[in-house]
């Protein structure tokens, strides 16, 4: 009396309807990238568009990282790192963040500490309230003799509290230090 029997699984709702021992998730090709130190490596100064997802209710962050190589330091002609978040699934609200460090360890430390001095959202609309496309444009110092090379970590934070499924997709465009 009152027994619960297996039922069809609803992906990403945090419940185990089919009694398999866990909720069904659909990780994308970039998982497991849910912490600063497990960021998906994108290589040296990439120019890439990624299709990614938040695949379950506890997947609040996705992290991507790359090596930024400073090729030119001429005042007024500084290189940029551009990040754009677009095509968010209906009802999704995500923000983008950018941290930089001289090494992977220092970039991770900055990311984990949320160090505001290295969060690159002051030249873009990276933390809008509500859903919508977001962008940031980090400009190197451009000071002659200054090397702005380093490891950059991009964070994509989901603020959605309800309505999770396995189809919470977004598109992320990344242009390295160029």
């Amino acid at each position: 009396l009152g027994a619960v029997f297996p039922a069809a699984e609803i992906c990403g709702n945090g419940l185990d309807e089919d009694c398999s021992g866990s909720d069904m998730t659909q990780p994308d090709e970039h998982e497991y990238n849910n912490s600063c130190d497990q960021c998906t490596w994108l290589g040296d100064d990439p120019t890439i568009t990624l299709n990614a997802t938040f695949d379950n209710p506890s997947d609040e962050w996705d992290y991507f990282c790359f090596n930024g190589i400073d090729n030119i330091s001429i005042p007024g002609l500084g290189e940029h790192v551009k990040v754009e978040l677009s095509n968010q699934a209906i009802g999704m609200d995500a923000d983008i963040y950018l941290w930089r460090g001289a090494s992977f360890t220092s970039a991770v430390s900055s990311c984990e500490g949320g160090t505001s001095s290295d969060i690159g959202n002051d030249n873009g609309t990276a933390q809008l309230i509500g859903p919508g496309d977001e962008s940031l444009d980090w400009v190197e110092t451009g000071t002659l003799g200054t090397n702005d090379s380093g490891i950059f970590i991009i964070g994509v934070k989901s603020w959605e509290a309800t309505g999770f499924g396995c189809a919470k997709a977004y598109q992320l465009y990344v242009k390295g230090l160029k």
Side-chain angles (χ1 to χ4, degrees), residues 28-41:
D28 60 31
E29 64 185 293
H30 311 293
E31 292 296 340
Y32 295 92
N33 62 341
N34 299 334
S35 65
C36 298
D37 63 343
Q38 291 181 329
C39 55
T40 298
W41 185 253

Side-chain angles (χ1 to χ4, degrees), residues 11-12 24-34 40 49-64 85-90 92-94 155-158 160 164-172:
C11 190
M24 179 182 190
T25 61
Q26 292 177 338
D28 60 31
E29 64 185 293
H30 311 293
E31 292 296 340
Y32 295 92
N33 62 341
N34 299 334
T40 298
T49 300
L50 305 168
N51 294 303
T53 62
F54 293 108
D55 63 314
N56 67 70
S58 62
D59 188 5
E60 294 180 42
W61 283 94
D62 283 345
Y63 293 93
F64 305 89
L85 175 66
S86 61
N87 297 322
Q88 295 183 57
I90 294 174
M92 190 170 147
D93 176 17
V156 182
K157 165 79 168 131
S158 173
E160 186 174 7
F164 247 101
C166 289
K168 298 300 181 184
Y170 62 90
Q171 196 168 65
L172 188 69

